[in-house]
Amino acid sequence: MACYNLLLILPDEKNERALTVEYSNPVEENVGFDEPQKYNDYFEQLTGIPVYRRYTFNMDGKYVVFVFEKANRGNVAPQNGFVWMPYDEITQSVQTHYNTSENMPWVNERGFSPYITWLEGVCDKKGIRINGKITQLKNAYMSTVFCAPTDIGNIYMKIPCKIFINEFAFTQGLKGLGIVDMPEWIDFCPELNAILMHDMGGNDLPQQSDIATLQKVLLRYAQIQKASISRPFDFSHYDNSIATVIKKAYGISKKEPALLPQLQIAEKLIQALPPIPNTIHHGDVRPGNIRVVGGKYIFYDWAWSGVSHPFAEIASFLHIIRRSLPDEAAKNALTDFYLKQWLDYGTLYQLKRAFYVLDALKYLFFAVDDYSWLNAIKQSTPAPCPMSADGWLLEKRTYYFETVLRRFIESNLPTPDSISANMSTSSSIG
């Protein structure tokens, strides 16, 4: 992966001048998804000014830029010889777009200040004493997360972004179903769309989990999926059912005609699927969104959630963890273990055929999701400047859409007649 120079930029109170610091080491392009506090602390150590990262963008194929705001309001003089300087050709876009975003609700004149004030107010009202520095654990185009150490342990404030993110509406509805272990909320602010929650404890599912652990994860998720079948989804969610995905894909094919032949094969494949009902669909099941707490598995971060064929989610999960599995036999064993939870809906052979099809179509599901996200972006902000918060969002989602669309178009889809022959050696297609 290519390396870039990293620029750290902090505008002054009136957004007339800026402090610009070059990070000490080259970075990779996706550094904007890293935990921000490391870079916040680096900037504070150099300049004496505590900061939070506001947004990120890439510039000219040479730089990644982190744009900051002060963690504490008020005039603070820079230290160690750093001085406020007028904006130059490199930093001009920061001045222009510093307070403007359709996606990130904190990119405005007030920044993170209302959120920190709300967090502190909730703690004061509930008798929770903050006893350390409030740090920033995450900052990207999906959400920002802060951690506050307190006398009851660490508490976390999450602020989701706006475009295509449906987490809180879905999570509130999901709580009412009572089928999923959820993080414990301390408070929620509808005006800010921010949530304050207790530490879940435990740890995220390790990337290199053993097969026995992964079986427990699959068993728990199958239980959640099956429990959702009899629950009405009368709250906000995305429809990722096979029929809807195919319909949307035909819409995409009008602009991407190379997709059409693959869609015609896909339609023939799904015609032979056994009638398995749609279930709850997390949308991003991966080790980083699964918390292991006292033997329980908590699935969190339901940002793009809805309903879909249950096997689509598992095909995605096994694809995400594929590099941590020792071999194809391990994947097949996990697939068979999961499918045995669905024997009420067909024989194991029928279920394997169905999973084979959903695994073959996984890139189509990814592409349709990304296309829907792109449409939402373009409707909200039709032509964002590339060197802005919304420009970074559009750049990244365009890249992901084009990547998964190309992979689906180039994939060697099976024909209905070839499935049985291929299943003799594998229950999935990798």
Side-chain angles (χ1 to χ4, degrees):
M1 184 175 289
C3 290
Y4 296 78
N5 295 318
L6 174 60
L7 295 181
L8 313 176
I9 300 177
L10 173 68
D12 68 5
E13 288 289 319
K14 296 182 179 180
N15 193 23
E16 294 175 346
R17 299 174 299 167
L19 289 180
T20 301
V21 174
E22 186 161 344
Y23 190 62
S24 55
N25 297 310
V27 297
E28 295 182 346
E29 182 181 16
N30 285 332
V31 67
F33 295 101
D34 286 1
E35 184 174 315
Q37 194 60 44
K38 167 184 175 181
Y39 306 96
N40 298 351
D41 291 341
Y42 178 85
F43 189 91
E44 181 179 2
Q45 290 165 6
L46 286 181
T47 69
I49 302 178
V51 294
Y52 297 130
R53 191 170 75 199
R54 191 177 265 209
Y55 63 89
T56 298
F57 65 87
N58 301 331
M59 181 169 59
D60 298 335
K62 300 177 181 178
Y63 298 99
V64 175
V65 179
F66 287 176
V67 181
F68 294 129
E69 65 175 74
K70 292 179 183 177
N72 303 313
R73 291 290 176 174
N75 292 318
V76 180
Q79 300 175 6
N80 301 322
F82 287 91
V83 295
W84 300 104
M85 298 292 291
Y87 285 98
D88 57 23
E89 184 177 353
I90 292 179
T91 59
Q92 186 60 53
S93 67
V94 175
Q95 182 178 38
T96 304
H97 303 288
Y98 184 60
N99 291 321
T100 304
S101 173
E102 293 295 326
N103 183 52
M104 298 181 183
W106 55 85
V107 178
N108 54 46
E109 290 83 355
R110 300 180 69 193
F112 289 118
S113 180
Y115 300 94
I116 300 297
T117 299
W118 173 73
L119 185 161
E120 293 171 338
V122 170
C123 289
D124 184 62
K125 181 179 179 180
K126 295 182 178 290
I128 301 170
R129 183 172 62 86
I130 299 173
N131 54 20
K133 180 179 180 180
I134 298 174
T135 56
Q136 191 177 24
L137 297 186
K138 180 179 179 180
N139 171 252
Y141 56 70
M142 296 85 71
S143 63
T144 280
V145 178
F146 289 89
C147 174
T150 75
D151 58 353
I152 63 168
N154 289 339
I155 61 176
Y156 300 88
M157 177 175 65
K158 184 170 187 177
I159 314 164
C161 292
K162 296 188 290 187
I163 298 177
F164 204 67
I165 304 296
N166 193 39
E167 181 173 0
F168 288 164
F170 189 90
T171 300
Q172 287 179 308
L174 191 59
K175 281 177 173 287
L177 296 185
I179 62 173
V180 182
D181 295 313
M182 308 285 288
E184 183 182 351
W185 290 14
I186 298 173
D187 206 347
F188 171 67
C189 180
E191 293 78 17
L192 295 175
N193 199 34
I195 185 174
L196 195 61
M197 67 188 83
H198 289 282
D199 192 327
M200 287 184 284
N203 55 272
D204 282 345
L205 182 71
Q207 292 286 341
Q208 300 292 331
S209 294
D210 58 40
I211 299 301
T213 297
L214 293 172
Q215 286 180 334
K216 293 176 183 178
V217 171
L218 292 175
L219 174 61
R220 178 59 188 138
Y221 200 69
Q223 291 170 341
I224 294 170
Q225 289 176 314
K226 293 171 72 175
S228 72
I229 293 173
S230 60
R231 305 299 203 279
F233 274 84
D234 55 359
F235 51 89
S236 178
H237 64 274
Y238 288 113
D239 180 359
N240 293 298
S241 63
I242 293 176
T244 299
V245 167
I246 294 295
K247 180 180 179 180
K248 288 182 177 180
Y250 270 107
I252 297 172
S253 71
K254 295 177 181 178
K255 297 181 179 179
E256 303 285 347
L259 175 60
L260 190 57
Q262 293 287 74
L263 279 182
Q264 293 168 341
I265 298 174
E267 277 204 298
K268 292 178 181 178
L269 289 172
I270 66 175
Q271 287 172 1
L273 292 179
I276 299 175
N278 290 324
T279 67
I280 195 170
H281 181 77
H282 180 282
D284 192 26
V285 174
R286 61 178 62 244
N289 287 337
I290 304 170
R291 197 77 178 171
V292 186
V293 184
K296 291 184 177 181
Y297 297 94
I298 299 177
F299 298 84
Y300 64 102
D301 280 358
W302 298 77
W304 307 288
S305 305
V307 294
S308 186
H309 192 290
F311 297 177
E313 188 92 83
I314 302 307
S316 171
F317 175 66
L318 293 177
H319 175 73
I320 288 168
I321 67 169
R322 65 193 183 283
R323 293 188 178 90
S324 66
L325 298 177
D327 50 37
E328 187 70 11
K331 178 181 177 180
N332 294 339
L334 288 171
T335 301
D336 288 354
F337 176 85
Y338 170 77
L339 294 177
K340 287 175 182 177
Q341 315 308 315
W342 294 91
L343 288 174
D344 291 344
Y345 294 90
T347 66
L348 185 58
Y349 178 80
Q350 291 170 326
L351 298 173
K352 284 185 178 183
R353 284 180 63 93
F355 185 84
Y356 193 104
V357 170
L358 270 296
D359 198 21
L361 300 182
K362 59 179 174 285
Y363 285 120
L364 179 63
F365 276 74
F366 299 161
V368 168
D369 243 7
D370 277 327
Y371 187 77
S372 298
W373 199 345
L374 275 178
N375 273 345
I377 295 168
K378 292 174 181 178
Q379 289 172 10
S380 299
T381 173
C385 171
M387 294 180 289
S388 68
D390 292 342
W392 189 55
L393 167 66
L394 180 61
E395 174 193 338
K396 290 299 182 184
R397 296 325 306 178
T398 299
Y399 168 78
Y400 292 131
F401 166 68
E402 291 176 348
T403 298
V404 294
L405 180 66
R406 184 181 66 254
R407 288 179 179 174
F408 179 69
I409 290 173
E410 295 175 354
S411 63
N412 185 21
L413 293 182
T415 63
D417 292 339
S418 71
I419 292 179
S420 297
N422 291 334
M423 280 177 54
S424 64
T425 58
S426 173
S427 64
S428 59
I429 63 171

